[in-house]
Amino acid sequence: MAQKSTDFATPVRRVLIAVLALALLAVFLFWRIDSPRAEMMRTAMIDRIVPRFEWAVAPVTKVTQMVAGFQSYARIYEQNQELRRELQRMSAWREAAVQLEQENSKLMAQNNVRIDPALTSVTGVVMVDSGSAFRQSVLLNVGAQDGIIEGWATMDGLGLVGRISGVGNRTSRVVLLTDPSSRLPVTVQPTGERALLTGDNTPLPLLEFVEQADNVRPGDRVVTSGDGGVFPAGVLVGQVAQGSDGRLRLRMAADYERLEFLRVLRSHPAEAVVDSAAIILGQDSGLIGPQLPVSPVDAAAASDPLDPGSTP
């Protein structure tokens, strides 16, 4: 007859589980008792037990900090990916804009559209960047044989770059707006404040002599004012920015880091009148409008030759 094996593990396990459950229930009930004596006992237990378990709490704290760091890195990675996608979309829009501009030029050429000569331009390729620590300028492959005149404004696809300063037969020099010798009258929109853009050999030239500086805010659009007749009015220059020194500066709309093609704007100033005697003046025709009726007294005085107040 086979003997049955005695299993002591199962009853012991059940007894331990029951004791553990009763202990946890007792701790729970003890922690829920609202009594000053029980509160004192709980405080004493916390002061005695918790400091000894700092070594166990430290890894939990470190793990919590690591999880928060990973979550922060995950957010930064998502933002970086979103910026990359946005950059790709902007590149696609830029390519579409270039294609539309080329198509527009072809259609205008086919239709023989005549544009105002003041708005036409000559496109040149930047040959050499001859900038230095004391001078900011570039060379274009267009010159006098292309009709380039000294003083004309140059711009890239979006914003003003500088002006022609020195014209050769096949080349011309462009002094950039960041050059220390550059001075450009501008208008801040939408307030209409007048200012002077002064180059200081930095990517962010200064905005000086602002009429009301309190009305100018970072991000305001800046265009040429046309004062002095050197540059045409309304050409985009950039946006107002606050410099690290607290002074008002300009963030250029043109991409100075990649100047490959520049457009030279044909500017024809108004003809100045030298001989003022050649101006044709209109004859003085007196009062304009119906003649007022003359009173009988004035008519009699005018007809009487003996009246000292009358005219002969």
Side-chain angles (χ1 to χ4, degrees):
M1 184 176 182
Q3 296 180 352
K4 295 182 179 180
S5 60
T6 304
D7 186 9
F8 297 99
T10 301
V12 173
R13 189 183 300 113
R14 292 177 181 176
V15 172
L16 291 177
I17 292 174
V19 171
L20 181 60
L22 291 175
L24 293 176
L25 181 61
V27 171
F28 175 75
L29 294 177
F30 176 71
W31 227 260
R32 300 295 297 176
I33 296 174
D34 189 7
S35 173
R37 183 174 296 180
E39 182 65 26
M40 292 176 61
M41 294 176 65
R42 288 194 293 265
T43 305
M45 291 176 62
I46 292 172
D47 292 340
R48 185 177 295 273
I49 296 174
V50 172
R52 297 181 180 180
F53 283 90
E54 290 183 354
W55 59 271
V57 178
V60 176
T61 304
K62 294 295 183 181
V63 169
T64 304
Q65 293 177 355
M66 291 176 62
V67 171
F70 283 125
Q71 291 177 352
S72 177
Y73 289 145
R75 288 193 298 268
I76 293 176
Y77 178 77
E78 291 178 358
Q79 293 177 359
N80 189 14
Q81 294 298 320
E82 181 64 25
L83 290 176
R84 289 178 181 273
R85 289 191 293 268
E86 187 69 21
L87 182 60
Q88 291 178 356
R89 288 194 292 267
M90 294 299 295
S91 300
W93 279 110
R94 180 181 179 182
E95 183 65 25
V98 171
Q99 293 178 0
L100 289 176
E101 183 179 4
Q102 294 177 354
E103 183 179 358
N104 187 27
S105 301
K106 293 179 181 178
L107 292 175
M108 293 174 62
Q110 291 176 1
N111 294 330
N112 295 324
V113 178
R114 299 187 62 183
I115 306 176
D116 186 0
L119 301 178
T120 58
S121 61
V122 178
T123 302
V125 179
V126 177
M127 300 171 52
V128 180
D129 183 358
S130 58
S132 64
F134 304 99
R135 186 175 178 86
Q136 297 286 328
S137 63
V138 296
L139 290 178
L140 293 180
N141 64 343
V142 290
Q145 66 178 6
D146 302 296
I148 303 299
I149 299 177
E150 185 171 354
W152 280 0
T154 60
M155 60 183 302
D156 66 351
L158 185 59
L160 191 67
V161 173
R163 60 181 176 84
I164 299 295
S165 177
V167 180
N169 188 25
R170 297 182 179 180
T171 60
S172 58
R173 181 182 299 276
V174 178
V175 175
L176 305 181
L177 297 180
T178 55
D179 187 83
S181 64
S182 175
R183 301 292 186 273
L184 175 66
V186 295
T187 302
V188 181
Q189 295 179 347
T191 59
E193 300 293 337
R194 298 298 180 92
L196 187 67
L197 181 64
T198 304
D200 60 348
N201 217 13
T202 63
L204 301 176
L206 293 170
L207 276 178
E208 297 180 331
F209 306 106
V210 184
E211 295 178 343
Q212 296 292 334
D214 296 337
N215 297 333
V216 179
R217 297 288 184 271
D220 289 348
R221 192 167 180 264
V222 177
V223 298
T224 55
S225 64
D227 296 338
V230 179
F231 291 93
V235 179
L236 178 63
V237 183
Q239 292 182 341
V240 179
Q242 189 76 29
S244 57
D245 54 357
R247 305 175 66 180
L248 291 177
R249 293 182 175 271
L250 189 73
R251 181 176 291 106
M252 309 299 295
D255 189 0
Y256 274 65
E257 296 181 357
R258 290 178 293 183
L259 293 179
E260 299 178 358
F261 300 92
L262 293 183
R263 290 191 300 162
V264 183
L265 302 180
R266 291 190 177 96
S267 178
H268 301 281
E271 182 180 357
V273 178
V274 179
D275 187 6
S276 59
I279 300 177
I280 301 175
L281 300 177
Q283 298 180 357
D284 187 8
S285 58
L287 297 176
I288 300 175
Q291 196 77 6
L292 295 177
V294 181
S295 64
V297 178
D298 295 338
S303 61
D304 189 1
L306 299 179
D307 189 358
S310 62
T311 58

